Amino acid sequence: MPQTRSILVTGGSRGIGAACARACARRGWAVGVNYAHDAAAAQALVDELQGLGVQALALQADVADEAQVLAMFARVDAELPPLWGLVNNAGIVGPAIRVEALDLARLQRIFAVNVAGSFLCAREALRRLSTRHGGHGGSIVNLSSVASTLGSAGIYVDYAASKGAIDTFTVGLAREVAAEGVRVNAVRPGIIDTEIHAGAGMTDRLQQAAAGIPIGRVGRADEIALGITWLLDPENTYTTGAILDIAGGR
Ligand code: NAP
């Protein structure tokens, strides 16, 4: 892969996405930093990445909104080097709730962002990367969660189920495009120290979690970014359809 190729990181303005954007920039890759609301955070990260000597661009788009996704990819085409990788990282979780109390609006929003958003962005990436569409190949990495295997009973079964869909999406899409130069994999983090927990009202989740994690602590965003960049790496030519647990043994 020429160093002038680009990686688009959805939800790249903070947390795991921002760590991934930094790791990509350190490898010399241009980075599209997608965000939903916080333009200042995205721009501050873009400035930091440009300081590392790479092209970087802040891209506002709700990944659940098809028109916004199309506009975002059009900007990537126009303003960044050719796309090589997509990190489907944007994801949301709601406040802790039991299934018996769930409403349709919450279900629709979680599945729209976590599942439909990942499908829409992957579709647009494939239209650029797949040899079937005249592309030169590339790599898609989806963010799942170990919640997909544990189920998150009593907290957010809806979120866990959306990540179960991401696991299936990863395996199916990987097989669908394996002969077209595009690898598709997923990373399944455990509990990682980001703002997602406090944003869902679970301010003490990180403090409480360590005791239940075999390695004895929650994870850091850069530890997830390491796995993502390994899966993106153009030298990683035979890994596809893989789901990589990075969860401290959980
Ligand atoms: P985070 O700190 O809450 O950051 C979320 C990012 O996604 C922000 O950049 C946010 O932008 C963006 N975003 C939110 N809704 C969006 C939308 N509709 N369209 C586009 N961007 C949107 O999250 P994180 O903890 O880094 O998690 C990243 C991914 O890893 C998620 O898919 C999550 O499910 C997964 N994961 C996280 C953990 C964990 O413990 N942290 C564990 C397993 C899996 P704004 O700030 O502008 O809204």
Side-chain angles (χ1 to χ4, degrees), residues 157-233:
V157 174
D158 53 349
Y159 169 82
S162 77
K163 295 303 186 178
I166 291 299
D167 291 353
T168 306
F169 172 50
T170 300
V171 172
L173 182 60
R175 292 175 179 172
E176 189 165 293
V177 301
E180 301 169 21
V182 183
R183 295 180 300 103
V184 184
N185 297 285
V187 167
R188 217 157 39 185
I191 299 176
I192 309 304
D193 185 359
T194 73
E195 294 169 31
I196 199 170
H197 310 287
M202 286 178 270
T203 45
D204 54 357
R205 180 154 172 76
L206 293 172
Q207 286 71 32
Q208 290 179 347
I213 302 170
I215 217 167
R217 63 171 176 83
V218 300
R220 299 188 312 269
D222 63 282
E223 293 173 314
I224 306 304
L226 189 65
I228 296 170
T229 49
W230 179 73
L231 290 168
L232 287 172
D233 196 317

Side-chain angles (χ1 to χ4, degrees), residues 10-18 33-39 41-42 59-65 68 88-93 109 112-114 143-147 156 159 162-163 187-197 199 205-206 219 221 224:
T10 69
S13 57
R14 58 185 161 89
I16 292 168
V33 177
N34 161 250
Y35 67 99
H37 310 100
D38 192 345
L59 296 155
Q60 195 284 327
D62 177 349
V63 295
D65 184 311
Q68 292 184 30
N88 263 327
N89 169 79
I92 57 170
V93 62
R109 184 60 184 161
V113 173
N114 295 4
L143 266 291
S144 176
S145 167
V146 291
Y156 36 59
Y159 169 82
S162 77
K163 295 303 186 178
V187 167
R188 217 157 39 185
I191 299 176
I192 309 304
D193 185 359
T194 73
E195 294 169 31
I196 199 170
H197 310 287
R205 180 154 172 76
L206 293 172
I224 306 304

Side-chain angles (χ1 to χ4, degrees), residues 78-98:
E79 299 178 51
L80 285 175
L83 190 69
W84 162 264
L86 167 68
V87 183
N88 263 327
N89 169 79
I92 57 170
V93 62
I97 196 169
R98 287 171 58 94

